[in-house]
Amino acid sequence: MKENKDVITCNNRGLLVPNKTGGNTKKFIPWNLVQKTKVDKGIYKCSADDAECWHVRKEVNHEKLDRIYMTERDALKAVDMLLIKNGREPQYILKKK
C-alpha cells in the first residue's frame, strides 16, 4: 500500500507532519509542542510549524471518534455524521436551516 506523504497523522505521542525541507518524508512533533485551540467541545485546531489540522475526540452513546482531519469542514462533518448515526440532530454542517 502506498503512503500519502502530504497527510498529517497522529498517535498518542504526537503528530507526524510532511517534511518540506527534505530528508525524511515525515517530521515528528510531540503533543507538548503543538498549539491546541478549542473550537468546540471535543474539537481542537492543532497548529505546529506550517502544519494545521483539526483533532476530533467525541463520544456519543459509547461510540468514540478520535481522528485527525485536514480541514475544519471535514472535522465538523464527521461529528455531524456521528450524531446522525446515533439518532441525534446534527449541530454543524449538516443541520437543517
Side-chain angles (χ1 to χ4, degrees):
M1 189 164 117
K2 193 173 183 180
E3 182 181 332
N4 190 348
K5 293 175 176 43
D6 296 332
V7 175
I8 297 173
T9 56
C10 77
N11 59 25
N12 60 351
R13 295 177 43 219
L15 293 174
L16 288 169
V17 298
N19 191 0
K20 294 181 169 93
T21 60
N24 294 336
T25 57
K26 298 264 186 169
K27 178 171 68 169
F28 176 74
I29 301 173
W31 280 119
N32 61 347
L33 297 179
V34 175
Q35 288 183 306
K36 285 188 177 181
T37 306
K38 189 173 185 175
V39 175
D40 201 8
K41 187 177 179 184
I43 305 168
Y44 302 93
K45 178 182 178 182
C46 300
S47 303
D49 293 340
D50 295 335
E52 192 172 83
C53 61
W54 282 261
H55 187 195
V56 176
R57 297 186 82 179
K58 280 280 210 191
E59 182 176 348
V60 177
N61 295 341
H62 304 292
E63 187 173 337
K64 294 180 182 179
L65 176 63
D66 187 3
R67 288 193 58 193
I68 293 283
Y69 295 93
M70 301 305 292
T71 65
E72 182 178 20
R73 180 174 173 78
D74 289 342
L76 295 176
K77 187 175 177 182
V79 172
D80 281 350
M81 295 299 288
L82 179 68
L83 291 170
I84 290 169
K85 185 177 177 183
N86 286 286
R88 297 191 184 176
E89 289 292 318
Q91 296 178 351
Y92 305 105
I93 304 292
L94 302 174
K95 69 180 182 179
K96 297 177 183 176
K97 293 184 179 184

